[in-house]
Amino acid sequence: MKTKISAFQLFSAIVMVPYGTAVIYFMTPKAKQDAWISMLIYILAGIILQLIYVELWKKYPKDTIVTYMPKIFGKVIGYTLSVIYIIYFAYEAARATRDISELILIAVMPRMSMYIIGILFMSTVIYGTYTGIENLSRVCCIFLILFVFLFVMKWIFLLSTPDALKFYNLKPVLEKGILPVIKEGWPLITFPYGESIVLAMLYPSVTESSRVRKAAVLATIILGILLTVNAIMFISVLGLNFATTSLFPFLQIFRIMKIGEAFNRLGILAILYMLIGGFIKVSFFMYGSMLGISQLIKLDNTKNLALPLGIAVFITSLLIASDYPQHIYIGQETLKYILLPLAVIIPAIALIVYYLKALLKKIMKYI
């Protein structure tokens, strides 16, 4: 049965999936107080990536990355790349699962076993992916609206909290010029913007196909703006040193906020905020892997893969790092060099190869 989602549901997913864990951390710490400028600049790179993904899909409107890679590169290289993308989607789901498990373990239940936390969290993800992408997309739309509302309220609460916002922490602006900011910000191409490649798996399911490009580009701009303002908030509230060294700066922001005299402990709201974002991210990446596997082995019912893949993702989340610092190090220093070819280089080469093959066919007609 063919799945169907709307253009707005695709828009919501492109915003929420990368935002799910990107909101937790202070991104591009090497750019220092200019991190927000770096985030703003690389919105353009995110838009270019979306245009590449959409253009590839338009050449093969009934295919996903997994099915059009063999058509572009041939069976050997193409199917190899398809398997790599399936593994990548599952691995990203495992990383996000570890993010959420560590968050709960460190910030909420330090005496709880990570095994129990991971099992409970993954159970909800398995159920979500089993119900199908249509239901996940509807949930994503609802939570996008909720997240935007909370985003606005968060700034209102900060403005009403005495001495919470210190915008002078953002100075000096561009102390060493624009080039260092651009240089230090390049990993943003892979995370968060490159992660939207998993949503390219959903393009054939969009009923309003003519609106896919517009939805993808607009979602990237909104995502970039949200994360830019988020970086400004981290620096202005926590200061550069605390923002870059804190495990969960987003959680610290909520602990600083106060709403009158009665509500001055809002950490639980931040936990729920991040749990929902993590659930959406893990669910969509796991579904991307499930869909890829079913297309590769020609399995009719994708939902049957939810349980076995969920178990594999959970086990992987425990094995990918011995502790949380190592997990963060892999994400910040190592993974970007793996994601760069997957999110940027391979799709760009695929589009170039398609055009070269099309040009060659035209030339052969005249010979």
Side-chain angles (χ1 to χ4, degrees):
M1 181 177 170
K2 182 176 172 58
T3 57
K4 295 180 180 179
I5 63 173
S6 68
F8 180 70
Q9 288 172 336
L10 176 68
F11 166 86
S12 301
I14 293 174
V15 174
M16 288 293 292
V17 170
Y19 191 72
T21 53
V23 70
I24 299 177
Y25 308 110
F26 181 74
M27 307 185 68
T28 61
K30 293 180 180 179
K32 298 183 180 179
Q33 70 271 6
D34 294 324
W36 66 276
I37 300 176
S38 185
M39 184 68 68
L40 200 60
I41 290 171
Y42 277 93
I43 292 176
L44 178 60
I47 292 172
I48 293 171
L49 281 183
Q50 289 296 343
L51 293 175
I52 292 172
Y53 301 156
V54 172
E55 193 64 23
L56 276 170
W57 164 70
K58 286 202 166 187
K59 305 306 178 187
Y60 303 95
K62 295 183 179 180
D63 290 295
T64 66
I65 301 167
V66 170
T67 53
Y68 65 58
M69 282 296 172
K71 294 180 180 180
I72 295 174
F73 292 106
K75 290 185 176 180
V76 176
I77 297 176
Y79 280 115
T80 301
L81 290 174
S82 298
V83 172
I84 289 172
Y85 276 107
I86 290 169
I87 295 171
Y88 160 62
F89 296 151
Y91 178 74
E92 279 293 336
R95 284 198 60 83
T97 300
R98 182 64 177 265
D99 285 332
I100 299 303
S101 299
E102 291 282 4
L103 167 67
I104 297 173
L105 186 67
I106 294 171
V108 184
M109 300 177 180
R111 296 185 180 181
M112 180 70 75
S113 169
M114 185 180 288
Y115 295 97
I116 296 175
I117 294 171
I119 288 171
L120 291 174
F121 177 74
M122 186 50 64
S123 297
T124 62
V125 172
I126 290 171
Y127 177 75
T129 51
Y130 182 82
T131 59
I133 196 62
E134 293 97 337
N135 290 328
L136 283 175
S137 298
R138 293 189 196 102
V139 169
C140 199
C141 289
I142 294 170
F143 282 130
L144 175 63
I145 297 169
L146 177 63
F147 270 41
V148 171
F149 172 76
L150 289 175
F151 184 85
V152 174
M153 293 305 297
K154 180 173 58 181
W155 276 95
I156 294 173
F157 296 154
L158 284 171
L159 288 168
S160 63
T161 302
D163 301 321
L165 288 165
K166 308 176 188 69
F167 289 110
Y168 56 79
N169 286 333
L170 296 168
K171 297 180 180 179
V173 177
L174 297 177
E175 183 181 16
K176 297 181 180 179
I178 193 70
L179 291 180
V181 175
I182 296 173
K183 179 183 177 182
E184 298 298 345
W186 77 264
L188 292 170
I189 299 174
T190 60
F191 174 69
Y193 298 115
E195 287 191 336
S196 60
I197 192 169
V198 70
L199 281 315
M201 296 288 290
L202 303 182
Y203 289 170
S205 301
V206 179
T207 54
E208 306 145 294
S209 58
S210 61
R211 298 176 61 189
V212 168
R213 180 190 282 112
K214 184 177 179 181
V217 171
L218 185 59
T220 302
I221 294 171
I222 298 298
L223 172 65
I225 292 172
L226 288 174
L227 292 176
T228 298
V229 177
N230 211 54
I232 292 173
M233 178 184 64
F234 285 165
I235 299 169
S236 60
V237 175
L238 302 177
L240 182 61
N241 291 334
F242 193 18
T244 55
T245 57
S246 176
L247 290 177
F248 303 109
F250 186 78
L251 179 59
Q252 297 301 329
I253 294 288
F254 275 80
R255 287 175 173 172
I256 290 172
M257 289 190 306
K258 292 182 180 179
I259 312 174
E261 297 295 329
F263 302 98
N264 56 8
R265 292 174 182 251
L266 299 176
I268 188 63
L269 186 61
I271 299 294
L272 290 172
Y273 197 100
M274 291 185 280
L275 269 174
I276 293 169
F279 166 77
I280 290 172
K281 179 169 182 174
V282 175
S283 297
F284 273 88
F285 267 102
M286 202 169 98
Y287 180 81
S289 185
M290 288 165 53
L291 180 61
I293 293 170
S294 64
Q295 290 176 337
L296 205 62
I297 64 176
K298 303 189 185 305
L299 184 67
D300 292 330
N301 202 340
T302 304
K303 64 173 62 177
N304 291 334
L305 295 170
L307 181 59
L309 188 60
I311 294 172
V313 167
F314 166 65
I315 294 172
T316 304
S317 72
L318 299 174
L319 299 176
I320 54 178
S322 58
D323 52 33
Y324 190 60
Q326 185 186 41
H327 172 68
I328 295 299
Y329 178 83
I330 292 171
Q332 292 183 347
E333 302 297 332
T334 305
L335 199 59
K336 59 189 177 183
Y337 297 108
I338 299 173
L339 300 188
L340 185 63
L342 292 177
V344 183
I345 298 173
I346 292 173
I349 292 174
L351 191 58
I352 292 170
V353 169
Y354 172 85
Y355 281 123
L356 288 176
K357 289 171 73 174
L359 180 61
L360 186 61
K361 284 182 181 179
K362 287 184 179 179
I363 293 173
M364 293 300 292
K365 286 182 180 180
Y366 293 102
I367 296 177

